[in-house]
Structure formats: C-alpha cells, structure tokens
Amino acid sequence: MGQALCCVQVDQSNVAIKETFGKFDDVLEPGCHFLPWCFGSQIAGQLSLRLQQLDVRCETKTKDNVFVTVVASIQYRALANKASDAFYKLSNTREQIQAYVFDVIRASVPKLDLDSTFEQKNDIAKSVEEELEKAMSHYGYEIVQTLIVDIEPDVHVKRAMNEINAAARMRVAANEKAEAEKILQIKRAEGDAESKYLAGLGIARQRQAIVDGLRDSVLAFSVNVPGTTAKDVMDMVLVTQYFDTMKEIGASSKSSAVFIPHGPGAVKDIASQIREGLLQANTADLI
C-alpha cells in the first residue's frame, strides 16, 4: 500500500480497512482511493482475501490407550463482505483456529480405538470442519477444506504394528507353502500310483504274451514232431530258457555272484520245481 497526496493503493486480493478518527468507516477494494488524512481518515490495515492453510499437530490418546499425533490441514480465507469482522473481532486467527481443532480432535479420537481412528479419519475431518465453520463464520472467515493428512502413533506402537503385520504375512506365506508342498506330494503319489498301475499292466501283458507263445510253441512242436507229448515239449522249453538265463547272467558285467546247481540233473530238478509251482498256483486258484 502506498500513500501520497492523500491517495492510497490497495493491492489485488486484499482489502483495506478505513478509519476516521479511529472509528471504522469503510472497506476499500483493490485499486487507488482518495484518503483525506487531514480530515482524520487513515488506513488501519489490510486484510488478505487469499486462501490460507494452517497445519495443526495435535497429540491425543485413543480409546485403547495409544498416544497418536494427528496432523490436520485447515484451508480458510477471509470473506470480503465480512472484512470488518475478520479484522476487528480476532487478534490472532491462526491460534483461534488451532484451539478449535484441538478441542474437536481431543473430543473425537478418544472415542475410537487405533484401527478405527485410521478408518474414520474422514469423519474426524468432517467434525473439525463443521465445528470450525460454525465458529469462524461469526468472525468473518470461511473454512474451505479440512483434511486429516496424517495419524502418527507412538514409534514403539508403530514398530509393534509392523511386526504383527509381518508375522501375519509370514503365517499366510507358510500356509501357502505347506499347501503347495501338500499338492506336490499328492500329485507325486498319484503319479507313482499311476506308474505302478501301468507297470503292472505291462507285466501282466508280458506274462500273457509269454504264456501264449509257449502254448503256440508246444502245439506247433507236437504237430510237427509225432510221438512227443506236451510234457516233453515243456521240458525242452524250460531247458532252453535255463540256458538263455545262464547266458544273460554270464554276459552282464554288473551281475552279482549267483550259486546254482548245474548239470542235466539240476535242469530236471528245476523243471520239476517249476511244474509243481504252476500246479500249486492253479490248485489255489480253483479253491
């Protein structure tokens, strides 16, 4: 604001309070105004109409006895049509707003536990805004917005909350890992069972093929060589199988030592044992 030759300048976004002999006279809009100081006119001060912000830190206690620091941001501005009230009725606007914020927060937060305080911070901000709007409107101020920008628990409580959260996540991870291992074991067991089932089918088919082959061989030999019986053919087949087995044992470099009787009599005994085993198995099946 400049003053020369009884003229005064009011800057943009401001209003000036004009007094005459110390009494409020008028509110001057932005621009240049004639101010006859010789007749007792003077400028008592200027009032900004810009949006202002006040950050308030309030320490209080929740319902579950946890001390927290609530940070509230109050955005406010003076009303041009109530500039005289805003200029004369309050000596310190920021301290007045801060007092109301303290009052509302310390009345609201102790009714909530810590988790609810975080969840209902918008409700707390709304309560602060309503109380400030009701109170500050009498002094020529408008509350534009009230925000709860931060809720800071005690450092030890914050550390404990983080540990609880970490433990819960580790428990979930352990459960998921155990479930995955369970699924792997189940799938492995199912695969093993399927493998054994298929191996059993293969062995059964192999044995069936051997039996079919022996039967066809016995029948063909009996037809082509007159006078031979099925027993003679089986003895010959068993002797052939015996020598083939001995050949495979001797040809394998990784075979263990096997002691078996060897000779024509031993072959006869082996054939008798095999026949007796087959007859006993057939008898057991019939029973």
Side-chain angles (χ1 to χ4, degrees):
M1 178 180 65
Q3 182 172 351
L5 300 176
C6 298
C7 292
V8 64
Q9 175 183 315
V10 181
D11 297 332
Q12 184 65 33
S13 299
N14 291 334
V15 292
I17 305 300
K18 176 184 176 183
E19 293 181 348
T20 302
F21 295 110
K23 182 181 179 181
F24 171 73
D25 185 12
D26 193 10
V27 176
L28 304 181
E29 298 288 337
C32 185
H33 300 272
F34 177 69
L35 191 69
W37 56 268
C38 56
F39 293 105
S41 297
Q42 63 177 359
I43 297 298
Q46 286 199 21
L47 183 66
S48 175
L49 301 180
R50 295 177 181 175
L51 184 67
Q52 303 181 60
Q53 178 168 311
L54 173 64
D55 293 330
V56 181
R57 298 178 63 89
C58 176
E59 185 178 12
T60 184
K61 185 177 72 171
T62 62
K63 186 177 181 180
D64 47 355
N65 297 323
V66 177
F67 282 91
V68 295
T69 299
V70 180
V71 182
S73 291
I74 314 300
Q75 297 176 352
Y76 66 98
R77 64 187 173 194
L79 297 173
N81 57 346
K82 293 185 178 181
S84 59
D85 292 338
F87 186 81
Y88 288 106
K89 288 186 177 182
L90 288 179
S91 60
N92 193 322
T93 305
R94 299 176 72 87
E95 288 186 0
Q96 185 74 16
I97 293 176
Q98 181 173 310
Y100 279 108
V101 173
F102 281 173
D103 181 67
V104 176
I105 290 178
R106 287 175 176 168
S108 302
V109 174
K111 298 178 183 179
L112 306 171
D113 56 28
L114 183 59
D115 293 336
S116 299
T117 302
F118 281 96
E119 295 171 358
Q120 302 182 26
K121 69 183 188 68
N122 291 334
D123 295 336
I124 298 173
K126 185 177 180 181
S127 299
V128 173
E129 183 175 348
E130 290 176 352
E131 186 66 23
L132 283 175
E133 183 68 30
K134 183 173 60 177
M136 299 304 294
S137 61
H138 298 295
Y139 301 109
Y141 282 92
E142 175 190 11
I143 304 301
V144 178
Q145 186 72 33
T146 300
L147 303 172
I148 302 297
V149 296
D150 197 8
I151 299 175
E152 301 175 356
D154 181 78
V155 61
H156 300 292
V157 176
K158 187 183 296 185
R159 185 182 300 114
M161 292 174 65
N162 291 334
E163 290 177 356
I164 291 173
N165 193 357
R169 292 180 181 275
M170 290 179 64
R171 183 168 62 251
V172 172
N175 290 336
E176 293 295 333
K177 182 179 180 181
E179 189 67 23
E181 292 179 353
K182 175 183 174 182
I183 294 174
L184 286 176
Q185 291 179 359
I186 291 174
K187 293 300 182 182
R188 192 179 297 115
E190 291 177 352
D192 187 54
E194 184 69 18
S195 175
K196 290 180 179 179
Y197 173 74
L198 295 176
L201 289 178
I203 293 174
R205 291 174 180 174
Q206 179 186 16
R207 291 177 178 176
Q208 183 64 40
I210 292 173
V211 171
D212 293 341
L214 290 174
R215 184 182 65 248
D216 294 342
S217 298
V218 170
L219 292 176
F221 198 88
S222 299
V223 172
N224 295 326
V225 182
T228 59
T229 63
K231 177 179 178 300
D232 297 333
V233 176
M234 286 300 300
D235 288 341
M236 188 182 67
V237 171
L238 290 175
V239 170
T240 303
Q241 292 292 328
Y242 172 78
F243 282 109
D244 289 341
T245 303
M246 293 296 293
K247 180 180 179 182
E248 291 180 1
I249 294 175
S252 177
S253 60
K254 297 182 180 180
S255 299
S256 302
V258 179
F259 295 94
I260 59 174
H262 181 63
V267 174
K268 182 178 180 181
D269 292 338
I270 293 173
S272 300
Q273 293 175 8
I274 293 174
R275 282 195 299 271
E276 291 176 359
L278 293 173
L279 291 176
Q280 291 177 0
N282 293 332
T283 304
D285 293 337
L286 294 175
I287 295 175

